[in-house]
Amino acid sequence: MTNVRLITRLDVKGPNLIKGVHLEGLRVLGDPGEFAKKFYDQGADEIIYMDIVASLYGRSNLVEIVRKTTEDVFIPVTVGGGIRTVDDVQELLDSGADKVAINTAAANTPELITRVSERFGSQCMVLSIEAKRQPDGSWKAYTDNGRERTNLDVVEWAQRGVELGAGEILLTSIDREGYDIELTAKVTQAVNNPVIASGGMGNIDHLVSAVRDARADGVAMADVLHYGRLHLDDIRASADRVGIKVRKHAYE
């Protein structure tokens, strides 16, 4: 297996990095660019910026955030939220993003995946899938930051997305803490493209399971890093101890 990518996910509302808190709504954590720089300095492999209200309000505030971030951060930056057209993608790439993650617009207009892939390359087109297990044991894809249920079966949608031109799958479990290992394994078995596991990593065991049991190519982490419960140096060291290949920190 190639090196597993350690990715930090930064959810944004307006100009702020935020985190959803049970029974509290959204908590403002600070300037997203400052957090991105901190995690870059810690050795993150990639950054994912996700505007969590862009689909709801029909706009995204990330262009300026990405532009400022990429002045000091020199790792791949993926941007999602409110992307509806090829022109939206162009604007984000011009601001410094390397990839775009599209969920709602892709579910509503699947041919957008092909248009983005053909114009900018499949490596730029990340299909973002928000997944929730159903009573019958299947998983359905959700849009609008988990607010709207579709009739799309997650595994079938991942396969179709790759066929349409998606170069990568960002798979977020929205109904549990930690990664959904069973679902992630089904998706990695169904597609040959890289799959990023996302959805509430709380400890090293979550990462180990996502990589060893589900064969994820990357793991996206949020509040475990935001609140300092784990440091990327600790994560790399722990992964190395159990034989999971990760990129060495540039300073090592």
Side-chain angles (χ1 to χ4, degrees):
M1 176 177 280
T2 57
N3 287 351
V4 173
R5 288 172 289 155
L6 304 180
I7 302 166
T8 181
R9 172 171 170 155
L10 303 171
D11 287 350
V12 172
K13 179 182 179 183
N16 299 311
L17 175 67
I18 58 88
K19 185 71 181 76
V21 180
H22 184 56
L23 298 179
E24 187 179 317
L26 299 178
R27 178 181 296 170
V28 174
L29 300 182
D31 183 300
E34 292 179 3
F35 276 79
K37 180 63 164 60
K38 178 174 72 172
F39 298 135
Y40 168 67
D41 289 340
Q42 287 184 17
D45 295 310
E46 296 185 20
I47 300 287
I48 294 175
Y49 272 131
M50 196 67 67
D51 189 329
I52 67 163
V53 296
S55 293
L56 183 64
Y57 294 111
R59 55 175 169 72
S60 176
N61 295 289
L62 283 175
V63 168
E64 191 58 34
I65 291 173
V66 172
R67 183 175 290 115
K68 290 180 178 178
T69 296
T70 53
E71 292 176 357
D72 301 306
V73 170
F74 306 103
I75 53 177
V77 175
T78 300
V79 182
I83 299 168
R84 291 174 174 77
T85 67
V86 168
D87 287 343
D88 291 339
V89 176
Q90 184 71 68
E91 184 178 26
L92 287 164
L93 297 181
D94 288 345
S95 74
D98 299 277
K99 297 182 278 188
V100 293
I102 306 179
N103 176 10
T104 301
N108 293 336
T109 312
E111 54 268 28
L112 177 62
I113 298 172
T114 304
R115 291 201 293 268
V116 172
S117 176
E118 289 180 345
R119 178 159 175 182
F120 304 106
S122 61
Q123 80 288 339
C124 175
M125 175 62 228
V126 180
L127 177 59
S128 176
I129 304 178
E130 296 173 341
K132 185 175 181 180
R133 189 190 288 263
Q134 304 301 297
D136 65 359
S138 66
W139 291 267
K140 293 296 185 184
Y142 282 65
T143 62
D144 297 286
N145 197 43
R147 288 180 286 268
E148 298 292 334
R149 179 184 181 276
T150 75
N151 287 319
L152 295 169
D153 176 85
V154 168
V155 179
E156 293 175 357
W157 177 222
Q159 290 176 306
R160 187 180 178 205
V162 168
E163 291 170 358
L164 288 168
E168 191 167 57
I169 303 293
L170 172 63
L171 182 62
T172 304
S173 174
I174 61 174
D175 61 341
R176 59 185 297 158
E177 288 298 318
Y179 308 120
D180 189 325
I181 301 303
E182 182 181 358
L183 173 60
T184 305
K186 287 182 180 295
V187 173
T188 60
Q189 290 165 10
V191 302
N192 291 323
N193 295 40
V195 176
I196 300 169
S198 179
M201 174 177 156
N203 55 55
I204 294 296
D205 289 341
H206 290 161
L207 179 150
V208 173
S209 294
V211 174
R212 281 188 170 174
D213 300 333
R215 310 302 291 176
D217 298 271
V219 289
M221 300 166 278
D223 61 304
V224 71
L225 296 178
H226 301 343
Y227 291 116
R229 292 199 296 272
L230 288 174
H231 189 285
L232 278 163
D233 285 340
D234 302 324
I235 294 170
R236 271 193 302 273
S238 297
D240 185 63
R241 280 195 295 270
V242 298
I244 292 175
K245 294 177 64 177
V246 293
R247 183 178 64 88
K248 295 290 186 182
H249 193 295
Y251 302 146
E252 293 178 0

